[in-house]
Amino acid sequence: MSDSDVKFEARQTIEQVEEGDDLAPKFDDRGLITAVTTDATTGELLMQGYMNAEALSLTIQTGEAHYYSRSRQVLWHKGATSGFVQKVKELLVDDDQDCIWLRVEVAGGASCHVGYRSCFYRRIPVGQEFADKAAAGHIPLVWTDTDKVFDPEDVYGDAPNPTIL
Amino acid sequence: MSDSDVKFEARQTIEQVEEGDDLAPKFDDRGLITAVTTDATTGELLMQGYMNAEALSLTIQTGEAHYYSRSRQVLWHKGATSGFVQKVKELLVDDDQDCIWLRVEVAGGASCHVGYRSCFYRRIPVGQEFADKAAAGHIPLVWTDTDKVFDPEDVYGDAPNPTIL
């Protein structure tokens, strides 16, 4: 192994994982770790995805976000198709090291396959607003963004939609 | 069912899930959905957890964050022990409705059981900094926050640490 390879440490103690400087990520039984991606400038949550060990290694080495696509079951260099590459400004890990936070800049400004800047373009009414709006149990989602940055058909063509029902 | 109950819609079509106003969350085979929680003011990522249907319903009804603790296997009203209740300022759902984003205000300012404001208090060197710092494959994590907001022993006493190796 050369110094340019990424080596993850074995998880040995809680103190090591929570209070130490070892990178000892916890991949789940599918070999995946949760990844949360926010806009480095605005703090907006852009997307939530998953990484396998290869995706995390490549993200660390290249400074560009790589994920693992569960629907397509492939390593996924974000932006390879759409051009909306995510440049990692800061990469963080949480206390028990089962989640990675990417603070990114996005070329072109979009991160959502539906065409919006963020995958989170609808909000759920909460508390009194929920009580006021819910009728016969139906909670109407409210759009927080209605301006698509791109047309998915132009970018992805006939590629299958990644959403799984 | 009364109007105050929360009803989740069945997932029928991709258009309904991605482009409609139905709340049709996708709970995984454990009955859980990923929850991402940021500080509503600063945009800082505070924690990433999970909700079951009951936790999501209670969050919508009460406006206070509820999660499902995988380590303790119980519904978890965040702050019930520590006092650091999370008030939901905005609750959003992503395109395929398998992730919930909570934008919260935290009474007391802490969300991490280790004692920090955020669970994400260490960063991973990336790109050239990784190449410069990695020695014999070891990547030293770098602290982004060193000021604990509280002492976990004072707050949680002898309760078991939730981190699973």
Side-chain angles (χ1 to χ4, degrees), chain A residues 33-36 51 56 91-93 98-102, chain B residues 120 124:
Chain A
I33 191 168
T34 301
V36 174
M51 294 176 168
L56 179 55
L91 190 68
L92 297 104
V93 65
D98 69 353
C99 184
I100 301 291
W101 176 17
L102 300 89
Chain B
F120 296 80
I124 306 167

Side-chain angles (χ1 to χ4, degrees), chain A residues 2-165:
Chain A
S2 79
D3 284 0
S4 66
D5 288 332
V6 175
K7 180 166 172 279
F8 302 127
E9 305 295 332
R11 296 166 64 88
Q12 295 176 314
T13 69
I14 288 175
E15 177 156 5
Q16 170 215 19
V17 168
E18 293 186 346
E19 307 269 11
D21 78 347
D22 280 357
L23 178 58
K26 184 177 181 68
F27 297 98
D28 67 15
D29 50 16
R30 302 165 297 181
L32 303 179
I33 191 168
T34 301
V36 174
T37 306
T38 63
D39 183 300
T41 306
T42 66
E44 183 178 30
L45 181 59
L46 297 174
M47 56 176 283
Q48 180 266 316
Y50 296 90
M51 294 176 168
N52 60 6
E54 184 183 10
L56 179 55
S57 295
L58 286 169
T59 301
I60 292 170
Q61 289 175 298
T62 66
E64 294 186 352
H66 290 69
Y67 302 93
Y68 181 82
S69 167
R70 292 179 305 165
S71 55
R72 290 181 285 134
Q73 301 190 14
V74 291
L75 181 76
W76 170 29
H77 180 193
K78 179 75 180 169
T81 299
S82 67
F84 303 132
V85 169
Q86 297 175 339
K87 295 275 185 188
V88 177
K89 307 306 288 183
E90 194 170 49
L91 190 68
L92 297 104
V93 65
D94 73 340
D95 41 22
D96 60 352
Q97 302 203 29
D98 69 353
C99 184
I100 301 291
W101 176 17
L102 300 89
R103 297 184 57 232
V104 304
E105 283 179 359
V106 185
S111 290
C112 169
H113 76 276
V114 180
Y116 293 103
R117 190 176 68 252
S118 161
C119 294
F120 296 81
Y121 46 84
R122 293 169 297 182
R123 66 177 177 82
I124 307 166
V126 167
Q128 190 58 50
E129 189 189 4
F130 160 71
D132 291 343
K133 286 196 172 173
H138 184 257
I139 313 164
L141 298 178
V142 180
W143 268 251
T144 55
D145 186 3
T146 54
D147 293 323
K148 291 194 182 185
V149 179
F150 67 94
D151 182 335
E153 285 190 18
D154 292 345
V155 171
Y156 298 110
D158 295 332
N161 187 301
T163 290
I164 297 172
L165 291 177

Side-chain angles (χ1 to χ4, degrees), chain B residues 69-100:
Chain B
S69 167
R70 292 179 305 165
S71 54
R72 290 180 286 134
Q73 300 189 14
V74 291
L75 180 75
W76 170 28
H77 180 195
K78 178 76 180 169
T81 300
S82 67
F84 303 131
V85 169
Q86 297 175 339
K87 295 276 185 188
V88 177
K89 306 306 288 182
E90 196 171 46
L91 191 68
L92 297 103
V93 66
D94 73 341
D95 42 22
D96 60 352
Q97 302 203 29
D98 70 353
C99 185
I100 302 290

